[in-house]
Amino acid sequence: MFGRVAGTSGGSIVAALVAAGAPPEYISEQLQDTNLSQFLSKANPRDSVFTERPWKLRILRRIAFGKCKTLANVALDSGIYNSQPLQNWLEPHLRRLVAPYRASGTSGPVTFEELLLPLHVVATDLTTSRPKVWSRESTPSDSVALAVRCSCSIPFFYQAVRNQQSVLIDGSVVSNLPSFVFTHLLDSGEERSGLSRVLVFRLIEDDAGHQSVSNLSDFSARLSGAVINGASHIQSILQPSVYDVVIPTGPIKSTDFENVGEKEKKQLLAAGRAAVRKFINNERIKVRANTARPRFHGFDEKMLLLVQELQGCNKVFLAIGKSTYWLDFIFPTILSAARRGIQIVCITERSGDKKEKRRLLLLTRLGANIEYVSDDCKLPFDGFIFDPETDKTSAILSTVDGVVGTADFYVQERVRFYTRDSDPAVLEMLTERLTPLWTPKPSGVRQLPYVMCPEQDLFNLLRTVPQYAKATFRLDEVAISDNVLVLQEAVKEFKMLQVKQHIRELETRHRGLFEPLRVDLLGGPGTIVTPPVLERVGTQNLVLIEGSARFFHCLITGVKTVRAVIVDNVSAELPGKSQKRLSLLRLTSSTMPLTENYPQMNRSLFRRIEDAVHPYVPETQGNGYGKV
């Protein structure tokens, strides 16, 4: 799932459609249905950026023909064609895509702040000789279609675009690899994440081989191509975590608008699909072969690493530490691992803490093996190991013990990630230290089925939330729209990955989104899957209290309605004063403390819904609770 998209030149068209929420099928249909020759509109002399138009050239244009006339047109009009038709084509598509989420009564061009995903568009500003970058952060109210038009204005082919004080042409002149915008964000700390990977989709034409250069026009085209493609290669080398998806276009060039028919479009689509499949099939090898590994910081990045590695785990998962705090944050991933038959082993110390007892009981009922170290023995380290003693072994080690609750721990924790490819000696040492503490056991697939949870059982638990003591509850279908408000700034990527996995398992088991369910555990009653929870504010708006990642996933994947709990008659104030539309949420991979994600939050008013729905019940009472 993409957190941000960026585009230069023709890539900015696709990036804009993706950012507006267009699914692959929509983009494919538009490519098939659009006659590309409509983008070859004759240059408009009034749109020329040249301040001087010599009379001799104007006379030459009247009497010349062929290439001489073309050169005269370029010299007078700053290009052969006008790119306005591209803007005119893109704008209605963007409006159609964002219409369900646009604020009521909004008109005019679609702006960057209205897009579902943050978009960066790059053009070249001839007045400053630097890149011009549009984004939600820097140009929130600018027209997306206009920015894309500027980014696609190939020099000489299209007229340059004058916009305020700038003269703008194709972004490829300064950067045909716009991933530098992500590098800037990561370096600035705004979106810093050691886990972020940048996928670069590049169209590559057939090599011209050793063909001779025929004329000035051919020389110019080859020089331009060498500059652009060479720069792309150098940028991809210098920027970390950048991975190419190379799509061969054959003899089709970027300006072949008149020569691309139905047959050529199908060939391009097939080439794109084949390139993506090839990349996905070799993704693990390519990513792990990248030795320029960034450092990981803070709790959210550790959880993202943990989810990613555990979702790819095949046989054994080892968790080592004084606390199993992580279970409350990645329960969907642990549940899936248990269902797949992964041997889950927790090596820990005995604890009298009720929350820790609840988690250990829950892990036991998922089929995990709990191994306690003796009182005179210390844990060798704090971390996780996946598939030990295999060619896919990896490990995550933390600099601090797992104690959640302090801001310093949440942000300052340093995390190291080791793989068999780059750190075999370290992994061998870690595995050897754990050998006396656990025993490999055969583990089969566990059913752990979903069963319906009575609504009243759920409501009774929700009523124990202090702010809901006198509230009323009902389950209803809720539309995924901007009538839903959120209190937070961003959705964590590790939660989004789990939502995707959770929805896939619901579909496999023919369960709806998100009806009240319980997971039946081994040896007793199970754990409730908390539906999204919303509080009614006023007559129309609902404020999302629980389930923001699920709602955001449904928003960007086109789901129209879901089941959720609506809470009425809440007398307490909301925990956060800042409310925003659902579509303005963003996805982040970086560690983001609660105080930053929930501006002006009053902790005393925070609804501790998960604690209420999953209380600790001693094992002797035959019940236990976890969280999904």
Coordinates of all heavy atoms in Angstrom, one line a residue, residues 43 59 79 119 152 154 187 196 216 224 234 250 260 318 327 338-339 342 396 431 436 493 511 557 582 607 614 622:
A43 N -0.2 24.7 -31.3 CA 0.3 25.8 -30.4 C -0.6 27.0 -30.5 O -0.9 27.4 -31.6 CB 1.7 26.1 -30.6
I59 N 7.4 36.4 -40.7 CA 7.3 36.3 -42.1 C 7.7 34.9 -42.6 O 7.1 34.3 -43.5 CB 8.2 37.4 -42.8 CG1 7.6 38.7 -42.5 CG2 8.3 37.1 -44.3 CD1 8.5 39.9 -43.0
G79 N 6.9 26.2 -28.6 CA 6.6 24.8 -28.7 C 5.7 24.5 -29.9 O 5.1 25.4 -30.5
L119 N 0.3 13.8 -2.8 CA 0.9 13.7 -4.1 C 2.0 14.8 -4.3 O 1.8 15.9 -3.8 CB -0.2 14.0 -5.2 CG 0.3 14.2 -6.6 CD1 0.9 12.9 -7.2 CD2 -0.9 14.7 -7.5
C152 N 4.3 17.8 -17.6 CA 4.3 17.1 -18.9 C 4.7 17.9 -20.1 O 4.7 17.4 -21.2 CB 2.9 16.5 -19.1 SG 2.4 15.2 -18.0
I154 N 6.8 18.8 -22.4 CA 8.1 18.4 -23.0 C 8.7 19.6 -23.8 O 8.0 20.2 -24.6 CB 7.9 17.2 -23.9 CG1 7.3 16.0 -23.2 CG2 9.3 16.8 -24.6 CD1 6.9 14.9 -24.1
D187 N 14.6 13.1 5.5 CA 15.7 13.8 6.2 C 15.2 14.9 7.1 O 15.8 15.2 8.1 CB 16.6 14.5 5.1 CG 17.4 13.4 4.4 OD1 17.5 12.3 4.9 OD2 17.9 13.7 3.3
S196 N 10.6 2.8 5.0 CA 10.0 3.2 3.7 C 10.8 2.8 2.5 O 12.0 2.9 2.5 CB 9.9 4.8 3.7 OG 9.0 5.2 4.7
L216 N 19.9 17.1 -37.0 CA 19.9 17.9 -35.8 C 18.8 17.5 -34.8 O 18.9 17.4 -33.6 CB 19.8 19.4 -36.1 CG 19.8 20.4 -34.9 CD1 21.0 20.2 -34.1 CD2 19.6 21.8 -35.4
S224 N 18.8 14.6 -25.3 CA 17.8 14.8 -24.2 C 17.5 13.4 -23.5 O 17.5 13.4 -22.3 CB 16.5 15.3 -24.8 OG 15.5 15.4 -23.8
I234 N 21.7 7.6 -12.1 CA 22.6 8.2 -11.0 C 21.7 8.5 -9.8 O 22.2 8.1 -8.6 CB 23.3 9.5 -11.5 CG1 24.3 9.1 -12.6 CG2 24.0 10.2 -10.3 CD1 24.9 10.3 -13.3
G250 N 9.2 -1.0 -25.9 CA 9.5 -1.4 -27.3 C 9.9 -0.2 -28.1 O 10.6 0.7 -27.6
V260 N -0.1 5.3 -31.3 CA -0.5 4.3 -30.2 C -2.0 4.0 -30.3 O -2.8 4.8 -29.9 CB -0.2 4.9 -28.8 CG1 -0.6 3.9 -27.7 CG2 1.3 5.2 -28.7
L318 N 10.0 -16.4 17.5 CA 10.5 -16.3 18.9 C 10.4 -14.9 19.4 O 10.9 -13.9 18.7 CB 12.0 -16.8 19.0 CG 12.3 -18.2 18.6 CD1 13.8 -18.5 18.6 CD2 11.6 -19.2 19.5
L327 N 1.7 -7.7 21.9 CA 0.6 -8.5 21.5 C -0.7 -7.6 21.3 O -1.4 -7.8 20.4 CB 0.3 -9.5 22.6 CG -1.0 -10.4 22.3 CD1 -0.8 -11.2 21.0 CD2 -1.2 -11.3 23.5
A338 N -0.8 -17.9 14.1 CA -1.3 -19.1 14.8 C -2.2 -19.9 13.9 O -2.1 -21.2 13.9 CB -2.1 -18.7 16.0
R339 N -3.1 -19.3 13.1 CA -3.9 -20.1 12.2 C -3.1 -20.8 11.1 O -3.5 -21.8 10.6 CB -4.9 -19.1 11.5 CG -6.1 -18.7 12.4 CD -6.9 -17.6 11.8 NE -8.1 -17.4 12.5 CZ -8.9 -16.3 12.4 NH1 -8.6 -15.4 11.5 NH2 -10.0 -16.2 13.1
I342 N 2.2 -21.5 12.6 CA 3.6 -21.0 13.0 C 3.8 -21.4 14.5 O 2.9 -21.2 15.3 CB 3.7 -19.5 12.8 CG1 3.4 -19.1 11.4 CG2 5.1 -19.0 13.3 CD1 4.3 -19.7 10.4
I396 N 15.0 -8.8 15.1 CA 14.8 -7.4 15.5 C 15.2 -7.3 16.9 O 14.7 -8.0 17.8 CB 13.3 -7.0 15.3 CG1 12.8 -7.2 13.9 CG2 13.1 -5.6 15.8 CD1 11.3 -7.1 13.7
T431 N 20.9 -17.1 17.9 CA 20.2 -18.4 17.9 C 20.9 -19.3 18.9 O 20.2 -20.0 19.7 CB 20.3 -19.0 16.5 OG1 19.7 -18.1 15.6 CG2 19.5 -20.3 16.5
P436 N 19.2 -23.2 24.6 CA 18.8 -23.9 25.8 C 17.4 -23.4 26.4 O 16.9 -24.1 27.3 CB 19.9 -23.4 26.8 CG 21.0 -22.8 26.0 CD 20.3 -22.2 24.8
E493 N 1.3 2.9 9.5 CA 1.3 1.9 8.5 C 1.2 0.4 9.0 O 0.7 -0.4 8.4 CB 2.6 2.0 7.7 CG 2.7 1.1 6.4 CD 3.9 1.3 5.6 OE1 4.7 2.2 5.9 OE2 4.1 0.5 4.7
R511 N -17.3 -13.4 6.2 CA -17.8 -12.5 7.3 C -17.8 -11.1 6.7 O -17.0 -10.7 5.9 CB -16.9 -12.5 8.5 CG -16.9 -13.9 9.2 CD -18.2 -14.2 9.8 NE -18.2 -15.5 10.5 CZ -19.3 -16.0 11.2 NH1 -20.4 -15.3 11.1 NH2 -19.2 -17.1 11.8
T557 N -9.8 2.1 -0.8 CA -10.1 0.9 -1.6 C -11.5 1.0 -2.2 O -11.9 0.0 -2.9 CB -9.9 -0.4 -0.8 OG1 -10.7 -0.3 0.4 CG2 -8.4 -0.5 -0.5
L582 N -12.3 12.7 7.2 CA -11.7 11.4 7.0 C -10.7 11.4 5.9 O -9.6 10.8 6.0 CB -12.8 10.3 6.8 CG -12.3 8.9 6.5 CD1 -11.6 8.3 7.7 CD2 -13.5 8.0 6.1
R607 N -11.0 7.7 25.4 CA -11.9 6.5 25.5 C -11.1 5.2 25.5 O -10.7 4.9 24.4 CB -13.0 6.5 24.5 CG -14.1 7.4 24.6 CD -13.9 8.9 24.8 NE -15.0 9.7 24.4 CZ -15.2 11.0 24.8 NH1 -14.3 11.5 25.6 NH2 -16.2 11.7 24.4
H614 N -11.7 -5.8 26.5 CA -10.8 -6.9 26.7 C -10.2 -6.9 28.1 O -9.0 -6.7 28.3 CB -9.7 -7.0 25.7 CG -10.1 -7.0 24.3 ND1 -10.0 -5.9 23.5 CD2 -10.7 -7.9 23.6 CE1 -10.5 -6.1 22.3 NE2 -11.0 -7.4 22.3
G622 N -12.3 -19.2 33.4 CA -12.6 -19.8 32.0 C -12.8 -18.8 30.9 O -13.5 -19.0 30.0

